[in-house]
Amino acid sequence: AKGAMAALERAVAKHGDLEEAHYLLGVTYATPEVGKKAEARRAWKRAPHVKEALLALGVDAYESGDLDEARARLEAALALDAACQQAWYQLGLVAKELGDSAGARKAWLRAEAIDRTSELGRWASTKLQILTGDISALMDHLNIERADVMGYSLGSRMTAVLAQRQPQRLRSAILGGIGIGLIEGGGPGGKVSAALQAPSRGEVPQPVRRPLR
């Protein structure tokens, strides 16, 4: 990796407009052997017309928690290649983190449609089934007839619904953090919705809900 890095550094020093070389240099910087993540980002930013560089920046921003930057970079990658399955799948992850379920669904549907038989296509299908709360469809997709299902918070409510509607699919169920609302009705939906739509974390009044933003 270090030999390749040196060669690429010489290449971009002589020809600064070689965007593909900047992208490859960024890949080299990002390897565990080299471990220069900041330099990798700078190299990728010098390749604004290389889809893979934009995708790398989007994934890096997502992993760093900068979701708005991640979305912008991934959308830029898709503007260059609308059939980039990895960008659609990753965009779905970003949208889900931002509380945009409709955007996540759209992105994963596109990823699935590009190639449903690929690993990413299968993952997108699984994400869609989880997103819609259709546990039984997910079990069908995975060829699981009956299972021990554990859910927490929203997952526990999804498990409870499955137990009520299709008890034959469960061997056992473990519910955690269900909230009294599942028993008495109602729940914190309005406050959760307000937190998701707040302009910033600082404007969410309940500290417990700030991580949602």
Side-chain angles (χ1 to χ4, degrees), residues 55-204:
L55 178 59
L57 285 168
V59 172
D60 178 72
Y62 171 73
E63 292 175 348
S64 301
D66 190 345
L67 299 179
D68 291 330
E69 172 72 5
R71 172 177 271 179
R73 295 294 183 178
L74 293 167
E75 288 176 346
L78 288 166
L80 294 176
D81 181 5
C84 181
Q85 187 181 42
Q86 187 176 355
W88 281 116
Y89 178 79
Q90 194 71 36
L91 186 60
L93 297 179
V94 172
K96 184 67 171 62
E97 287 290 318
L98 287 168
D100 180 8
S101 295
R105 182 176 183 275
K106 176 184 175 182
W108 286 330
L109 281 171
R110 290 294 298 270
E112 183 185 44
I114 290 168
D115 183 0
R116 65 180 64 248
T117 64
S118 69
E119 183 177 7
L120 276 177
R122 293 194 297 271
W123 273 108
S125 177
T126 299
K127 290 289 186 182
L128 284 166
Q129 291 159 1
I130 293 174
L131 183 67
T132 58
D134 194 345
I135 301 176
S136 61
L138 175 60
M139 292 172 67
D140 290 341
H141 176 70
L142 298 173
N143 295 316
I144 298 173
E145 184 177 349
R146 298 178 70 225
D148 303 295
V149 180
M150 179 179 70
Y152 184 82
S153 189
L154 176 59
S156 70
R157 290 174 176 250
M158 292 162 59
T159 304
V161 170
L162 179 65
Q164 180 187 40
R165 295 179 179 175
Q166 299 184 60
Q168 72 278 8
R169 304 302 300 266
L170 295 175
R171 279 195 300 262
S172 65
I174 302 172
L175 308 181
I178 60 173
I180 195 63
L182 184 64
I183 309 301
E184 298 180 345
K191 293 178 180 178
V192 170
S193 177
L196 290 171
Q197 298 178 63
S200 67
R201 285 192 178 192
E203 295 179 61
V204 179

Side-chain angles (χ1 to χ4, degrees), residues 22 42 111 147 196 213:
H22 282 293
R42 284 195 288 270
L196 290 171
R213 182 64 182 85

